[in-house]
Amino acid sequence: MPLSRSRNSLNTYQALIVGSQAYTYFSLKSAEQTLGDLSHLPCCMRILLENLLRYEDEKNITQDDMRALTAYHALHKNIPTISFHPARFLIDAPAALSIMTDLAVLHEAISTNAIAPTNIECPYPTDIVMAPSQETSDQQAERYRLIKWGEKTITNVHVIPPGHGPSNHISLNALGSVVRIATFEESDAPLVIPDTVVGTDPYFSTINGLGILGWNTDSLEIQSLILGHTSRLSLPGVVGVKLTGKIHKGTTATDLALAITAVVSNNDP
């Protein structure tokens, strides 16, 4: 599904040539001409700012939202709430069952009353990861039929069958791309965008280790986003950690990560 044309009030929509291929992108460097220096923004907030530039529509996203995001991390006050459009979804099997059950009821009501096309259009690519189950074969077959129904009936849904590992591993090893290519209305050139993702796996936030902005949420929010609603975020504070020196012999990267987590948690206001 092509992305809607941004209002582009800051004139940040630019051309990008890589070899012989032409692309387009939304330039944060160009945004600095209006918003000022953005070097103080953490990388995750720059990704959110690019998202605002790309989806600016003067209704859900305005230039004021961009200024609020920039000012918040400069002044550390007046926490803004912004709209966010992830590039894709990742759903584990338990959440998928809940979501598909609700969507099946909605689809039946739509089809019965003939008030809209029979297919539900999901605005973002959605991967459903099926894991092995302890259920009986009949129960598994019924569950798989419901999930496969969703793949056939809802656009942009792709089912990954059991046997490929847990969803957070698949997310890290196969699906994460850091940069994605999208289509954009009124443009023949592909649009380069950061890979951002929202998922339901409790360990899903490990995707941030690849430089991909993502977090886990509940099935109700995913269902709402599949139906075209916009996610609203109250921007959190971002804590930066600078590491110097060397770790002691016998200390692992996991030990270091746990130590940093403990320090950050103890200093969390």
Side-chain angles (χ1 to χ4, degrees):
M1 180 183 296
L3 301 178
S4 300
R5 170 68 76 176
S6 168
R7 185 170 179 270
N8 192 31
S9 66
L10 302 187
N11 297 315
T12 59
Y13 184 58
Q14 304 289 330
L16 174 67
I17 305 298
V18 180
S20 59
Q21 178 64 53
Y23 298 92
T24 57
Y25 73 110
F26 284 87
S27 168
L28 296 184
K29 193 67 178 177
S30 298
E32 288 186 330
Q33 297 179 18
T34 303
L35 300 177
D37 180 30
L38 300 175
S39 61
H40 66 282
L41 287 180
C43 290
C44 57
M45 293 301 149
R46 296 182 197 183
I47 293 173
L48 290 177
L49 179 57
E50 186 276 344
N51 201 271
L52 295 178
L53 294 171
R54 186 162 19 109
Y55 283 95
E56 182 189 8
D57 60 2
E58 278 303 316
K59 181 181 178 182
N60 295 308
I61 298 176
T62 68
Q63 197 176 119
D64 288 341
D65 294 321
M66 304 169 198
R67 295 181 186 277
L69 183 150
T70 304
Y72 167 54
H73 284 281
L75 304 175
H76 302 288
K77 63 180 182 180
N78 300 325
I79 301 175
T81 300
I82 65 169
S83 293
F84 174 64
H85 297 76
R88 59 188 176 90
F89 300 133
L90 182 64
I91 306 173
D92 59 358
L97 285 173
S98 173
I99 292 170
M100 290 306 160
T101 300
D102 289 345
L103 292 180
V105 173
L106 176 62
H107 180 269
E108 182 179 7
I110 290 174
S111 301
T112 301
N113 294 281
I115 58 177
T118 54
N119 277 14
I120 298 173
E121 294 190 8
C122 177
Y124 313 108
T126 301
D127 292 292
I128 297 176
V129 180
M130 301 300 297
S133 172
Q134 301 299 319
E135 298 173 332
T136 67
S137 58
D138 288 342
Q139 290 174 319
Q140 289 185 46
E142 184 177 8
R143 182 175 67 165
Y144 293 159
R145 279 197 297 271
L146 176 60
I147 300 299
K148 292 297 288 184
W149 169 88
E151 184 178 41
K152 294 178 181 178
T153 308
I154 305 172
T155 58
N156 277 334
V157 170
H158 174 246
V159 177
I160 300 173
H164 293 272
S167 58
N168 61 313
H169 288 183
I170 292 173
S171 174
L172 287 167
N173 300 327
L175 300 178
S177 59
V178 183
V179 173
R180 298 180 66 84
I181 302 299
T183 55
F184 202 42
E185 287 183 359
E186 303 177 18
S187 175
D188 295 329
L191 178 68
V192 180
I193 65 173
D195 185 11
T196 55
V197 57
V198 175
T200 57
D201 188 285
Y203 304 105
F204 183 71
S205 57
T206 54
I207 195 67
N208 289 277
L210 296 181
I212 298 172
L213 182 60
W215 57 86
N216 64 295
T217 187
D218 57 48
S219 58
L220 287 178
E221 182 175 3
I222 293 286
Q223 184 174 306
S224 175
L225 293 171
I226 286 177
L227 294 174
H229 295 278
T230 302
S231 178
R232 299 289 298 178
L233 301 177
S234 293
L235 290 183
V238 178
V239 177
V241 178
K242 182 178 181 179
L243 303 179
T244 59
K246 298 180 179 180
I247 60 176
H248 295 292
K249 184 177 181 179
T251 304
T252 67
T254 300
D255 296 326
L256 181 59
L258 291 173
I260 293 172
T261 301
V263 171
V264 173
S265 298
N266 290 335
N267 288 275
D268 188 354

